Amino acid sequence: MDPPNEFPDDFSSFPPIPFALFVPPENPNPNSNAAPIPNTVENPSSAHLLSFSVPKKRRRGRPHRVPTSFQLPPIPNGVFNSNNNGLASFSSSISAHSSRNNVEIPGSSARTMPDMSDEIIVINKESTAEALIALSAGFPADSLTEEEIDFGVIRVIGGIEQVNYILIRNHIIAKWRENVSNWVTKDIFIDSIPKHCHSLLDSTYKYLVSHGYINFGVAPAIKEKIPAEPSKPHVIVIGAGLAGLAAARQMMRFGFKVTVLEGRKRAGGRVYTKKMEGGIRVCAAADLGGSVLTGTLGNPLGIVARQLGYVLHKVRDKCPLYSFDGKPVDPDMDMKVETAFNQLLDKASRLRQLMGGVSVDVSLGAALETFWQVYGDAVNAEEMNMFNWHLANLEYANAGLISNLSLAFWDQDDPYDMGGDHCFLPGGNGRLVQALAENVPILYEKIVHTIRYGSDGVQVIAGSQVFEGDMALCTVPLGVLKSGSIKFIPELPQRKLDGIKRLGFGLLNKVAMLFPHVFWGTDLDTFGHLSDDSTRRGEFFLFYSYATVAGGPLLIALVAGEAAHKFESMPPTDAVTRVIQILKGIYEPQGISVPEPIQTVCTRWGSDPFSLGSYSNVAVGASGDDYDILAESVGDGRLFFAGEATNRRYPATMHGAFLSGFREAANMAHYANARALRIKINRNPSKNAHSCASLLADLFREPDLEFGSFSVIFCRRNADPKSTAILRVTFNEPRKKSHDSAKPDQQHSNKLLFQQLQSHFNQQQQLHVYTLLSRQQVLDLREVRGGDEMRLNYLCEKLGVKLVGRKGLGPTADSVIALIKAERGIRKPASTSLALKSGTSKLKAGTLKRKLVRKAKIMRHGNGSAPSANSNSVNDKVSDETKITSQAPSNTLGSGQNHSDVLKNE
């Protein structure tokens, strides 16, 4: 660990929150009922989050009282029968679920898709087992993730094709899990997948490989896939933690040149295994940072451990508690208090449900304090001390004070729990880091202080050195982003700055002690200690025994909550003395002598300039959306972000950081491919002019936003309000009323434009004209009232842009078209998509629609700026884009009507 730094105690003034132990009534409000926990939640709305009645996060420190088991969400009867005959009911369940969410399910979509069949395919007789395996990897049993929908794995959401895709996906994942040391090729599935589904197999396999769900890790067969020489652009990764290492390895396998810049003298970031020694015969590996693999079912780090031949050690359930005077806590009283504590959290869940949106601004601690004031049952001192121990355990789980945690969203990631045991890796997690860092080009002691990004690439400045690349991935901890120690040029978008500010970043510290021998026994892995001072409840409240996995007699004491902050300024000798007093108070009454430790290490993660804390949490005023905002790329695919604080599903975990690296590797590859396509187009402008026009027409068949006679396409993966969008205006029919009839203050000065348009109206032809806007300007335009005519006036007079034909858009539009094409690259236009013109969404569960609406609302309050207006005017061969099509919308410009806005996502 880095040398300890003296850190001022800014937290001593925080008043403790008083609590009293009570068992709340089951239903204090007879008119309210707790909502059931949802089976699967892909993008939980606040309404769903407010209904979780039994949060799981409090279990992070103390294991379950009973052996953990993985719970499969209920699946409709007959979905995965051994002979697959029940798959028809699976399709029916999808249809029923989809119809509840306004999802179009074509009755005979296969007839409009010649390469698909009306039948659900049969791959093997292990569909149930394969569904469980895929579920453990984060895939729902009967729907698609947002990531899959964004990638466009299928053409129409909710039909037979989706069922077949899920079966193929599950089969591929399960096949690779049989032997994670092999590289699974697509060819091995050719014979088992019917020919009419081979194109579906192609897209499924491509998605799983590119996003790191299969064929990842450090097995020799996988390392062999890394090309000897890179053939693609240069990528700079800032930070050699688990996120940075995962992304670097994946990008290297994709063929990119990779450089990793690490400020420390070592890799791993907040995962740090230190070798402690006490002579020739006594040594141990101490995990001073991330130590517990939480939930091993589907955990990718568990898969890496399997590839290395490491056997994980399950953290055993036994966790006795000892009073502040060292006496064992009565087991019956322990169970009583734990039950009451669980009921208190359940009461808080019910409260936030009743409060609705107001709970976003309320802390979990305030809610608990409210119950104490309302119910205030008298308890004895020992019960109060035990209750405070559970609060400390809760603060450990979240690396944050309960007074700072959001009542509404503190446990928003619970629905994505992977399940399985909590485990230690014998020898420490540094063994994983070492394997992942092998042959990765890492430059150590490169402290990055500036990141420049723009249309031409990135510059990362560390000290006096400048590293240039095509893209950069920033994986520094949230604490570093909060500190502002890295300067971004240009400044990050306001929505990202706000998200960084809203999310919490807490603290956990440790005291690692190497003893001459094991005096505490080897029959348990954890034990707890109570404090009689509520302000010090998190001080050495939990001990981890690593004697069975560290290679020596190692004991680690945890410091959480307010005590973790005070610990930053506590002299190490005082800390060790205090821990030894606690241990002597527990074991000497049992006749067990406690020796002096041979070596001790005290962490100072809050003072570490490369972390400035431990891991993220959802603070008051924040939500799970902020994890998504932190994950957004900026600069039109030049600067990306990864790390546990960018992973909505698995924050505050090692595997969450690891998975975020895979996610961003896929995103970076996407943008690089789009730019390569753009360059190819620009090199042959005359040759590709017709194909670009055709491509633009294809993309506008399924616009991302449509209102009146206006339709918009943009890159869905870039939510920056300043990012460029292409707006198309469609003129369709002769106007019945002249615009000259408008009131004097509404007359339009762009007479030449309207004369051109009037000419086309008279010919009864359809006219498409275009312009480039920022996404923020598009949203502002959509809000203009008074119909299409007023929108056009706003566009031309207020924004000062000029509508042009396709050829007038220029190379800037070609770049945007290339990005969108790459994003939708594996999609093929389906005639069923035309049904969207009626306003019906194709989404499986409406979650993406909510997501886009939410993002739109956020952007409406952001500071959007327009891209440079194209200098070409409408008379620069506007007629080049005049065309007649039977698929044109029926909206007529100047009708004066406000058409319904339709958000369209795939």
Side-chain angles (χ1 to χ4, degrees), residues 216-227:
F216 67 85
V218 295
I222 294 170
K223 291 191 289 185
E224 290 173 358
K225 297 296 181 179
I226 299 178

Side-chain angles (χ1 to χ4, degrees), residues 787-808:
D788 289 342
E789 196 161 346
M790 293 307 298
R791 289 190 181 111
L792 187 63
N793 182 50
Y794 178 87
L795 187 68
C796 298
E797 301 294 333
K798 180 73 173 179
L799 299 183
V801 300
K802 297 181 179 180
L803 299 173
V804 297
R806 163 66 189 92
K807 291 183 180 180

Side-chain angles (χ1 to χ4, degrees), residues 236-248 260-262 269-270 451 472-478 480-481 486 610 639-646 657 660-661 664 668:
I236 301 173
V237 178
I238 299 105
L242 288 177
L245 293 176
V260 181
L261 304 180
E262 170 56 53
R270 285 167 282 168
I451 300 175
L473 173 64
C474 182
T475 71
V476 300
L478 176 59
V480 176
L481 293 177
I486 296 179
F610 301 112
L639 179 59
F640 300 80
F641 293 84
E644 56 86 13
T646 70
S660 74
E664 292 312 306
M668 287 188 287

Side-chain angles (χ1 to χ4, degrees), residues 412-431:
Q412 62 87 35
D413 55 314
D414 275 354
Y416 312 119
D417 183 34
M418 283 185 169
D421 299 320
H422 290 190
C423 294
F424 293 141
L425 176 66
N429 294 315
R431 301 172 77 186

Side-chain angles (χ1 to χ4, degrees), residues 598-722:
I598 299 173
Q599 184 184 7
T600 61
V601 176
C602 296
T603 68
R604 297 285 188 270
W605 289 107
S607 305
D608 184 338
F610 301 112
S611 60
L612 298 176
S614 297
Y615 40 87
S616 64
N617 57 58
V618 184
V620 174
S623 72
D625 292 348
D626 290 314
Y627 289 106
D628 291 336
I629 292 173
L630 261 66
E632 292 172 357
S633 63
V634 298
D636 270 342
R638 295 295 183 177
L639 179 59
F640 300 80
F641 293 84
E644 56 86 13
T646 70
N647 195 323
R648 181 180 189 143
R649 289 187 172 201
Y650 311 113
T653 64
M654 290 183 288
H655 62 270
F658 192 66
L659 287 169
S660 74
F662 287 142
R663 179 197 69 216
E664 292 312 306
N667 286 336
M668 287 188 287
H670 154 73
Y671 276 99
N673 293 337
R675 277 189 288 272
L677 176 61
R678 179 195 66 193
I679 293 172
K680 182 178 179 182
I681 292 173
N682 290 342
R683 284 177 178 173
N684 301 281
S686 59
K687 181 179 179 180
N688 292 287
H690 178 74
S691 61
C692 284
S694 176
L695 176 58
L696 188 63
D698 286 341
L699 294 176
F700 268 104
R701 288 178 183 173
E702 298 183 46
D704 296 290
L705 191 64
E706 195 170 39
F707 47 95
S709 295
F710 298 77
S711 52
V712 185
I713 58 172
F714 47 74
C715 184
R716 296 166 185 156
R717 299 192 184 187
N718 186 355
D720 186 352
K722 298 181 181 180

Side-chain angles (χ1 to χ4, degrees), residues 50 348 351-352 355-371 402-410 618-622:
L50 302 185
L351 174 64
R352 66 183 177 186
M355 294 177 68
V358 180
S359 64
V360 174
D361 298 319
V362 178
S363 73
L364 177 63
L368 298 178
E369 183 179 16
T370 298
F371 290 126
I402 59 172
S403 58
N404 294 339
L405 296 178
S406 167
L407 171 63
F409 299 109
W410 70 275
V618 184
V620 174

